[in-house]
Amino acid sequence: MKLHSSNGLHGSITVPGDKSVSHRSVMLGALADGVTHVTGFLMGEDCLSTIDCFRKMGVRIDVGDDHTVTVHGVGLHGLTAPTERLYTGNSGTTTRLISGILSGQSFASTLTGDASIEKRPMGRIITPLRQMGAVISGVDDKFCPLAIEPGKLHGITYTLPVASAQLKSAILLAGLYADSPTTVIEPAPSRDHTERMLRAMGCGVDTDGCRITVYPPDHLTARDVAVPADISSAAFFLVAGAIVPGSEITVRNVGINPTRDGVLEVLRAMGADLTLTNRRDDGEPVCDITVRTSQLHGTQIGGALIPRLIDELPVLAVAAACAQGETVIRDATELKVKESNRIAAMVRELTRAGADVTETDDGMIIRGGKPLHGAAFETYHDHRIAMSMAICALVCAGQSDIADDGVVAISYPDFFDALRRLGG
Ligand code: SPQ
């Protein structure tokens, strides 16, 4: 993919459905009694991996050609033993959440994924699931492939070492199969889509600050899911609209769940011109967001904000490189264990473009305002690095190249077409 500096992006756009909500609609739809109709489903590779895994466990899932998915639930105890390994591709969410579900089944299973998944930490789920009685093992007790045998689960109270929705959800989903309630205590609130969807399906879930308790239900009741547009995908265009001179972009129907909207808070703190309109709620709060170009300035990003914008940090680093003054990102060591080491990747690629960036132990310091120039950018086979550097390329003098552009299909198959439609 060859990219050039842009004179301005204009128009309105609907980005694809939320990846986190799409995954959970299939998982919980499969475990519910009845049929779940999902609209706005993300047809990205990660969510298709989730569909594939549940089909291998006997769940009928019909995929329409207009982002609709129909999940024919089999009930909490209706999954059947897969005849082959469950392959989760590049998807950490599929791998970790499904591990919680598989721990409560009466059959054995093996989970495996691509080269990136085999490097991502799984010890963090193995430890609490074992405490619950799960019979689960991995390579060195830390990595995929994971082997899971039938186990009898009991409720636990578990304090998470990191604010991670995947870890929290794996434990809560195993808790559906436990003989007593399960409580998870988070260091800071992480995305709460699992809790919301479980409640909507009739399961008792109490949230008291950072303390979440799930009560094992008799059954889940299927409920249709309208997936909002993904704020993590919208973020690329919000940053593009803010930094590309002369732009005005409206992103429609964006999910603004308070556990996910940290990117809006930070862009506002940086001086971005954002207008939120047409607010509504359909299980998840949504609105339309209009961004107009403005001069950004540096800011501080850390603490409890981090889990609320963890996947948006790479593109926020691009915004910071275009801002006047210094931006400090701290408390973000989790970025090192995503599809790539996103701290090292962004420091390297922004430096390649001429930005002044220093890597720190838990984040980076970006001294913005240096003139940026085009380059051949690496993606580290990470969709969010590819899209972040594509947005950066729009403000670089000269041409940029992204060789591994197909990686965007993980979460946003249509990304480059959408950018072209806005004038990129
Ligand atoms: O699924 P995967 O590969 O882990 O996806 C990522 C992403 O950038 O798309 C992270 F690499 O998003 C995670 C996110 O970082 C999706 C997620 C979820 O749906 O629960 C939660 C976050 O991860 P974590 O470990 O902080 O809970």
Side-chain angles (χ1 to χ4, degrees):
M1 190 66 62
K2 297 194 187 307
L3 297 108
H4 303 268
S5 65
S6 167
N7 294 326
L9 302 175
H10 297 274
S12 66
I13 179 175
T14 304
V15 301
D18 190 281
K19 181 156 79 68
S20 299
V21 177
S22 296
H23 279 303
R24 287 154 172 87
S25 69
V26 169
M27 294 182 186
L28 295 181
L31 300 181
D33 290 350
V35 176
T36 295
H37 300 280
V38 188
T39 50
F41 190 84
L42 167 62
M43 298 295 171
E45 288 174 4
D46 273 11
C47 298
L48 297 177
S49 292
T50 292
I51 289 182
D52 184 54
C53 288
F54 279 88
R55 281 182 174 155
K56 285 187 176 136
M57 292 189 284
V59 183
R60 181 177 152 201
I61 303 172
D62 305 326
V63 175
D65 49 15
D66 51 354
H67 302 275
T68 59
V69 168
T70 307
V71 187
H72 300 263
V74 294
L76 275 173
H77 302 282
L79 297 176
T80 53
T83 53
E84 54 186 298
R85 287 174 159 213
L86 297 173
Y87 182 72
T88 61
N90 189 248
S91 176
T93 311
T94 312
T95 311
R96 296 204 177 101
L97 269 60
I98 224 175
S99 299
I101 295 171
L102 292 173
S103 295
Q105 303 305 314
S106 56
F107 53 78
S109 52
T110 305
L111 273 177
T112 177
D114 70 5
S116 150
I117 280 295
E118 291 192 348
K119 285 194 214 122
R120 293 182 69 181
M122 295 298 155
R124 56 176 64 185
I125 56 165
I126 292 176
T127 302
L129 291 175
R130 271 193 190 150
Q131 276 184 31
M132 295 179 79
V135 185
I136 178 170
S137 59
V139 177
D140 298 333
D141 271 354
K142 286 187 190 132
F143 300 108
C144 274
L146 301 176
I148 303 172
E149 302 283 332
K152 182 143 181 39
L153 304 188
H154 47 265
I156 59 168
T157 295
Y158 191 77
T159 302
L160 304 187
V162 286
S164 160
Q166 294 182 1
L167 174 50
K168 169 178 67 176
S169 299
I171 300 168
L172 295 179
L173 292 174
L176 298 177
Y177 295 94
D179 58 7
S180 57
T182 295
T183 298
V184 175
I185 302 164
E186 303 188 270
S190 66
R191 64 193 70 188
D192 66 353
H193 308 298
T194 305
E195 297 92 299
R196 282 173 183 256
M197 211 178 283
L198 280 173
R199 269 187 212 111
M201 291 184 165
C203 178
V205 182
D206 287 343
T207 301
D208 179 9
C210 288
R211 195 182 168 93
I212 302 112
T213 302
V214 65
Y215 299 88
D218 292 337
H219 66 281
L220 298 174
T221 306
R223 189 177 182 276
D224 293 349
V225 179
V227 181
D230 198 327
I231 193 167
S232 300
S233 299
F236 298 109
F237 296 105
L238 298 180
V239 170
I243 64 174
V244 175
S247 298
E248 178 170 338
I249 304 171
T250 297
V251 194
R252 287 188 298 259
N253 201 38
V254 182
I256 48 165
N257 180 317
T259 60
R260 294 283 299 280
D261 67 353
V263 64
L264 304 181
E265 200 171 312
V266 167
L267 283 175
R268 280 210 181 97
M270 295 178 84
D273 178 354
L274 300 179
T275 311
L276 276 55
T277 53
N278 203 11
R279 287 174 188 262
R280 55 217 182 272
D281 199 312
D282 193 4
E284 292 279 346
V286 295
C287 75
D288 301 339
I289 305 176
T290 299
V291 57
R292 294 177 194 87
T293 313
S294 58
Q295 177 58 60
L296 301 182
H297 47 82
T299 192
Q300 307 275 323
I301 311 175
L305 245 182
I306 295 294
R308 291 174 52 218
L309 48 61
I310 186 75
D311 297 337
E312 292 70 76
L313 284 169
V315 78
L316 282 172
V318 174
C322 299
Q324 290 301 329
E326 187 175 274
T327 295
V328 180
I329 301 176
R330 59 167 68 90
D331 306 321
T333 42
E334 274 297 292
L335 275 188
K336 296 182 182 176
V337 292
K338 298 295 182 185
E339 285 84 325
S340 69
N341 176 339
R342 289 178 175 166
I343 296 178
M346 285 311 295
V347 169
R348 200 156 166 220
E349 298 315 301
L350 285 174
T351 303
R352 208 192 288 281
D356 182 355
V357 195
T358 308
E359 183 171 347
T360 61
D361 280 351
D362 63 350
M364 63 186 95
I365 300 171
I366 304 153
R367 287 161 292 270
K370 296 269 178 307
L372 302 179
H373 53 76
F377 295 122
E378 277 182 48
T379 70
Y380 308 85
H381 204 58
D382 183 331
H383 53 132
R384 300 214 190 272
I385 303 299
M387 292 186 275
S388 298
M389 293 318 296
I391 298 305
C392 184
L394 301 176
V395 291
C396 285
Q399 180 179 295
S400 299
D401 290 83
I402 296 179
D404 179 29
D405 54 282
V407 71
V408 302
I410 294 291
S411 64
Y412 199 157
D414 196 25
F415 173 77
F416 288 105
D417 286 339
L419 198 50
R420 270 192 212 103
R421 281 198 297 275
L422 291 170

